[in-house]
Amino acid sequence: MKRHVLLIFMASVLLSGCVEKEILDDLYLETGKAYDYVSENRIRGTAVFPIYMPDKSIENGFLSEEASSTQEVIEKIERRAQQPLVRGALDVVLIGEKLSEKGIIDIADSLQRDASVGARVFLIITEGDASDVIQGTYGNRGNGIYIYNLIEHNISKRELPETNLHMFLYDYYQKGQSSYLPIIKKTPDNNVAITGIALLSYDKVVGKIPDEDMFFFKIMVDRIAEGSHVIKMGKNPKKPEKNIEASVTSLHSKQKIIMNRKADPVKVDVEISIRGIIKEYTGDTLGAKQMAEVENRMKADIENKCNAMVKSFQELGIDPLGIGQYQKHGVRGFDLKEWKKEVYPKADIKVKAKVKILEAGTVE
């Protein structure tokens, strides 16, 4: 017994000697990265990491370098870092507007090959230069964590569809599916705001969903499990100077794509079901008649907006709904080139909505 205890003690001493100790205070934990276009073969990378001050406050540290590849940028930045720069805590990667139009797959590919980077890192497009956005002063926990929380909150509670590095790469490599990423910008009051959703053809940004239409985009490509939406009902007949609005909240939605592949052109129905309650209504009374009007108006808004969006997707030659995926799974010998050039642009795609108001709350 004593011999076994001695062996275990010796083994633990030897093994502990093999592990390199890393003290957090002696590292720079990179929480955010920004990449910008400089010239045809040159990009600029900016790393942000929190610096923990003696009074327990947190300041942002920045290091920036230019090079011809992401790996060379990393190497150059590390040569300037006072302490080892580790990427295991990386939360967000911002990509500048100009670089996003040139192509971002090199950056995404570099991230997925780094074993220290998680697949749930958020890829984000910025209005203007990404280095300008990341070098603000946001919140009190560091810029990387602040921007991560901004995106996470708007995915789970608001109109931003779910997205991350893994999902971007999955869509990129799929036949018949186009990617999309959130867009943010720095506001004049030195804050950050989500301004829309970037639409990509392969790895290049070719279009944008503005922030006021993100709700309609999300119910087509994702599902809402929470959140709210305001419906404008028109003028109040008794008070023409006022508009009637209904705020529908606690929204739950789901969507289904039904295809008739043998039709010519191919017929596609995108069926959206949505339920919610009226939290606020600015009209005089709110009874069964008014609730039915809210349902009809919301259904019309969804169908008008979503059908216009789908038409623009066909014109841009992109497919964020992944209709090509459905076609591929039902057609033997699926020809992606023929689908993109001949079939998808002419496809008869209709979005149909079912809206159910479950109950009504406050009347203002």
Side-chain angles (χ1 to χ4, degrees):
M1 183 66 183
K2 287 182 179 178
R3 186 180 177 188
H4 288 165
V5 172
L6 181 62
L7 287 172
I8 292 170
F9 174 75
M10 291 177 67
S12 64
V13 170
L14 290 171
L15 289 173
S16 64
C18 298
V19 178
E20 186 179 350
K21 288 183 180 178
E22 291 189 318
I23 301 169
L24 287 179
D25 287 346
D26 294 339
L27 300 172
Y28 285 153
L29 292 171
E30 189 179 11
T31 56
K33 197 71 162 274
Y35 290 104
D36 287 299
Y37 177 85
V38 177
S39 63
E40 193 61 37
N41 295 308
R42 207 157 184 83
I43 58 172
R44 179 174 60 252
T46 304
V48 60
F49 44 88
I51 298 175
Y52 300 94
M53 308 305 290
D55 63 356
K56 297 185 180 179
S57 63
I58 299 175
E59 294 186 357
N60 291 295
F62 302 101
L63 286 171
S64 186
E65 277 291 350
E66 293 181 12
S68 59
S69 68
T70 55
Q71 190 56 42
E72 193 179 353
V73 166
I74 293 167
E75 289 173 3
K76 281 189 167 186
I77 287 177
E78 285 179 345
R79 283 187 211 121
R80 291 180 49 200
Q82 181 187 357
Q83 298 177 163
L85 189 64
V86 294
R87 303 172 83 190
L90 190 65
D91 288 321
V92 293
V93 175
L94 278 54
I95 300 168
E97 188 174 2
K98 199 168 182 180
L99 183 57
S100 73
E101 294 167 358
K102 302 285 182 185
I104 64 172
I105 190 59
D106 288 347
I107 294 169
D109 188 60
S110 164
L111 292 168
Q112 77 159 335
R113 290 172 190 277
D114 188 337
S116 67
V117 175
R120 295 182 65 81
V121 167
F122 288 134
L123 284 183
I124 304 166
I125 307 298
T126 62
E127 286 191 23
D129 283 351
S131 60
D132 181 45
V133 175
I134 209 167
Q135 292 191 68
T137 304
Y138 315 121
N140 54 13
R141 298 171 63 186
N143 288 357
I145 293 173
Y146 181 90
I147 296 172
Y148 178 89
N149 288 341
L150 172 76
I151 299 296
E152 175 68 22
H153 156 70
N154 277 275
I155 288 174
S156 61
K157 307 286 185 184
R158 302 300 304 175
E159 299 90 1
L160 195 61
E162 191 172 3
T163 174
N164 56 41
L165 172 65
H166 170 75
M167 294 176 72
F168 168 78
L169 289 167
Y170 179 85
D171 291 345
Y172 175 80
Y173 287 113
Q174 284 298 311
K175 292 181 179 178
Q177 177 85 47
S178 300
S179 317
Y180 47 85
L181 293 170
I183 305 173
I184 63 172
K185 76 170 185 180
K186 193 175 187 177
T187 59
D189 59 350
N190 198 32
N191 216 317
V192 182
I194 296 170
T195 60
I197 298 165
L199 303 170
L200 289 89
S201 174
Y202 295 102
D203 68 332
K204 297 177 182 176
V205 173
V206 295
K208 175 184 177 181
I209 302 292
D211 55 355
E212 63 267 24
D213 290 341
M214 290 197 307
F215 168 78
F216 302 104
F217 184 75
K218 176 156 181 164
I219 60 177
M220 284 197 292
V221 302
D222 202 348
R223 60 175 56 198
I224 290 178
E226 207 170 329
S228 62
H229 182 64
V230 176
I231 302 142
K232 300 187 185 304
M233 305 293 295
K235 297 286 183 186
N236 188 329
K238 295 181 181 178
K239 301 172 186 173
E241 72 280 6
K242 289 190 174 181
N243 290 319
I244 298 177
E245 292 184 352
S247 174
V248 181
T249 190
S250 298
L251 290 166
H252 293 259
S253 75
K254 59 182 180 180
Q255 48 89 353
K256 183 168 64 174
I257 292 178
I258 301 169
M259 294 190 69
N260 182 349
R261 299 180 179 87
K262 294 181 179 177
D264 185 17
V266 169
K267 192 172 186 308
V268 183
D269 287 337
V270 182
E271 294 185 353
I272 296 171
S273 300
I274 189 162
R275 296 181 303 160
I277 63 172
I278 299 176
K279 187 177 182 182
E280 290 184 14
Y281 181 75
T282 59
D284 297 325
T285 57
L286 180 56
K289 181 184 173 185
Q290 288 74 22
M291 288 171 66
E293 286 177 359
V294 172
E295 286 180 346
N296 291 334
R297 188 56 184 260
M298 191 167 180
K299 169 184 163 68
D301 283 353
I302 291 171
E303 291 182 348
N304 291 338
K305 281 283 186 183
C306 291
N307 279 310
M309 271 188 204
V310 169
K311 187 70 179 171
S312 70
F313 299 157
Q314 289 178 284
E315 291 170 355
L316 286 168
I318 58 173
D319 186 5
L321 277 66
I323 293 170
Q325 280 280 321
Y326 287 85
Q327 178 76 348
K328 184 180 76 172
H329 292 309
V331 174
R332 184 173 292 178
F334 175 72
D335 185 338
L336 178 63
K337 192 178 287 185
E338 182 190 14
W339 166 258
K340 292 196 71 173
K341 190 175 180 181
E342 301 291 338
V343 184
Y344 179 65
K346 298 174 186 171
D348 179 19
I349 306 171
K350 291 282 187 301
V351 178
K352 299 174 181 177
K354 291 180 183 176
V355 178
K356 184 66 178 174
I357 301 297
L358 302 176
E359 59 180 278
T362 310
V363 179
E364 286 189 348

